[in-house]
Amino acid sequence: MEAPGSQIQDLLASWDDATAPIDARVREDPLLFAPVSDIVAKRPKRPESEACNALCRPWEHKDFLSRVSSFSIVSWFAKPDVISALECSRYGWINSAPDQLYCNCCKQFLCFKIDGKLSDTGALKVAKIFAGQLVTGHTQLCPWRGNPSPEAFMTLPIATKRQVYETFMDRLEGLVAQMHKNDEFHNRVRSIHVVDAVTAKILKEADATEDSAATLSTAMLASKLSARIPLLNDAPVSSEALVNAALLITCGWQFDGKSVEMLWCGSCNRRWQASPKTVSKRSDEEGSEPPAKRVKADSSQPVDLLSQHRHFCPWVAGRKSTGVDDYGEIDPKLWEFIKLPGWRQYAQCLSFLGNPEDRAVVAGTSNDSQEVKVCDPVEALESVRAVLGL
C-alpha cells in the first residue's frame, strides 16, 4: 500500500492538471485542441513505397504478378502445387528469402521448408499443412486473411479460339514492326534455333484442325503468315525470323522490355536468354577471346521453348478445375478448348491462317469445324412448304 504522502502528491498533480490554464496545457501539447486537419497533417507518415506495398488489392492482377515476380527457382525450389508460387501469391505472400514467405500487410513470416528425406507422399502431406497456413499465417485483422485473389489469376484468360487468334496476330504484327525498325533485333530473332521436337508438336497441333491433306510445314506456315500481315508487303522479313516469332508467341514468350536479349513469361515470371550473343568482327580480328570461346559464342544451341516454363505455368499446365464451379455454365466445346495448356490453344488457333471465315470458333478437332453454307431463300421456302404440306 502506498504511503499517505505519495497519495497526496498524486492527488495534487491530478488537481493541477485539471485546473491548469488552457494556454499552458496547449503549450505542452499543441495538438490538444487543434483541428483534425492539423492532426492528420502532423501525423508521422510511412514511406510511400511501404504504404504502397501494404495495400491489399486481391482483385488487382498487376499486384498479383508483382508478388509472383518475387519467387525464383533459387529461393522457392521444387514445391508441391498446393504451395506453388502462384498459390502463395494468391494469398498475399511474397518470397522474401529461401523457403520463406512474408506479408507486407501484417508483417508476418512463414517458413515452408520440406525435408528432402521425405517420400513424395510425406512431402505432399506436409505441403497440405503448409497450405492451410497460407490463410491462418496472417494475423486476425490482416485483410488478406480469407480474402485471396481469384483462382483465375493462375490461369490464362478465358478466350475463344477466334479471340486467341486475334491476340496472336496482334503480337506477331508488333514483333514484325519491331524487326523492321531494328536490324539487330531481326537478326536476334532469326538466330533462335528451336528444337525440332517442339516445332513438330506445334505444327502437329495446328495441323490437327486443318482440313487439307497436306502436312503443315515451317515453309507453309511462313507463307500463310506472310499473307496475313499487310506490313510484310512493303518490307518483308526473313521466313526464319517470322516462323521463330510465331513459335515464341505460341509458347507464351515475349521479349523483356529491359533487354531484347531476354525472353520473359508473364505467367510464371521466367526470364532466360534464347539467342546467343553476337561477337563483333573487331573483337574477332583482335583476338580478344580464344578461338574455342569465339566459336562457342557464335554457335546457336537448340532451345526448348516449352521446358523453359516453370512446371506450374498455365502455358504448359492445363486447367484442373471442372469449369462449372469456378467459371459458371459455359459451352462444352469452349471448355474443352480453354482447359488446354496455353501453347496448345495458340497452336490450334493457327488453323485460322487457312480460311478464318470458315473455322469453328471453339473447335478442337476437324470434326468440330463447320463450313458456312449459303442457302437459297426460294429453296428454303419450298422446303418449309413441303414440311407443312402446303
Side-chain angles (χ1 to χ4, degrees), residues 46-364:
R46 294 182 299 175
E48 183 178 355
S49 60
E50 181 182 353
C52 180
N53 292 333
L55 291 177
C56 174
R57 298 184 293 186
W59 292 93
E60 185 64 39
H61 189 246
K62 185 180 296 184
D63 291 355
F64 172 77
L65 292 180
S66 177
R67 294 190 296 274
V68 172
S69 65
S70 66
F71 291 80
S72 67
I73 195 172
V74 177
S75 57
W76 202 254
F77 178 71
K79 294 293 189 291
D81 293 341
V82 292
I83 54 172
S84 67
L86 298 178
E87 281 288 348
C88 296
S89 300
R90 199 166 70 87
Y91 285 90
W93 299 97
I94 64 173
N95 186 208
S96 57
D99 301 321
Q100 182 174 284
L101 301 177
Y102 174 70
C103 175
N104 277 322
C105 289
C106 61
K107 313 302 180 185
Q108 295 296 305
F109 289 90
L110 293 178
C111 183
F112 285 0
K113 188 171 184 179
I114 300 178
D115 191 349
K117 298 179 181 179
L118 293 176
S119 62
D120 294 341
T121 305
L124 182 59
K125 186 179 296 184
V126 173
K128 289 181 178 179
I129 297 176
F130 286 158
Q133 295 179 7
L134 293 177
V135 179
T136 60
H138 293 286
T139 59
Q140 290 291 340
L141 299 180
C142 181
W144 280 109
R145 190 181 179 96
N147 189 30
S149 297
E151 291 187 9
F153 281 4
M154 301 190 299
T155 60
L156 297 178
I158 296 178
T160 63
K161 185 182 290 188
R162 166 71 68 178
Q163 293 171 331
V164 172
Y165 170 75
E166 293 175 353
T167 303
F168 169 83
M169 292 304 300
D170 290 341
R171 294 179 180 177
L172 183 61
E173 290 176 358
L175 287 181
V176 170
Q178 190 173 357
M179 285 189 285
H180 282 163
K181 298 178 181 179
N182 192 336
D183 292 338
E184 181 182 356
F185 179 74
H186 173 269
N187 295 332
R188 188 169 297 280
V189 175
R190 185 177 58 180
S191 64
I192 298 176
H193 183 195
V194 183
V195 294
D196 296 336
V198 173
T199 304
K201 289 175 65 175
I202 294 175
L203 295 179
K204 182 179 180 181
E205 193 72 27
D207 199 37
T209 57
E210 288 283 351
D211 296 334
S212 60
T215 303
L216 184 64
S217 62
T218 54
M220 294 176 59
L221 178 60
S223 177
K224 292 182 177 182
L225 292 174
S226 300
R228 294 294 174 184
I229 302 179
L231 186 61
L232 294 176
N233 297 331
D234 300 330
V237 300
S238 64
S239 59
E240 295 86 354
L242 187 61
V243 171
N244 285 343
L247 294 178
L248 290 175
I249 297 173
T250 302
C251 294
W253 297 106
Q254 54 185 311
F255 284 91
D256 193 347
K258 300 178 181 179
S259 174
V260 296
E261 299 177 356
M262 303 298 295
L263 291 174
W264 174 65
C265 173
S267 298
C268 63
N269 196 46
R270 175 79 167 94
R271 283 181 171 84
W272 62 293
Q273 181 178 342
S275 58
K277 292 184 178 180
T278 57
V279 180
S280 62
K281 294 182 179 180
R282 180 178 179 182
S283 62
D284 190 35
E285 294 174 356
E286 293 176 355
S288 58
E289 295 180 346
K293 188 173 183 179
R294 291 199 300 271
V295 172
K296 183 177 181 180
D298 290 335
S299 62
S300 177
Q301 298 295 331
V303 293
D304 190 336
L305 297 179
L306 297 179
S307 64
Q308 290 293 337
H309 287 282
R310 299 180 183 178
H311 70 280
F312 56 80
C313 183
W315 282 97
V316 293
R319 299 176 191 261
K320 299 180 181 179
S321 171
T322 58
V324 177
D325 296 335
D326 296 335
Y327 311 107
E329 294 290 344
I330 58 178
D331 185 85
K333 292 183 179 180
L334 176 60
W335 170 245
E336 289 298 322
F337 177 72
I338 65 175
K339 75 177 183 180
L340 297 174
W343 76 269
R344 292 189 62 185
Q345 293 184 25
Y346 275 71
Q348 289 190 11
C349 84
L350 296 178
S351 62
F352 282 92
L353 295 173
N355 191 0
E357 289 78 10
D358 296 340
R359 298 296 176 191
V361 175
V362 297

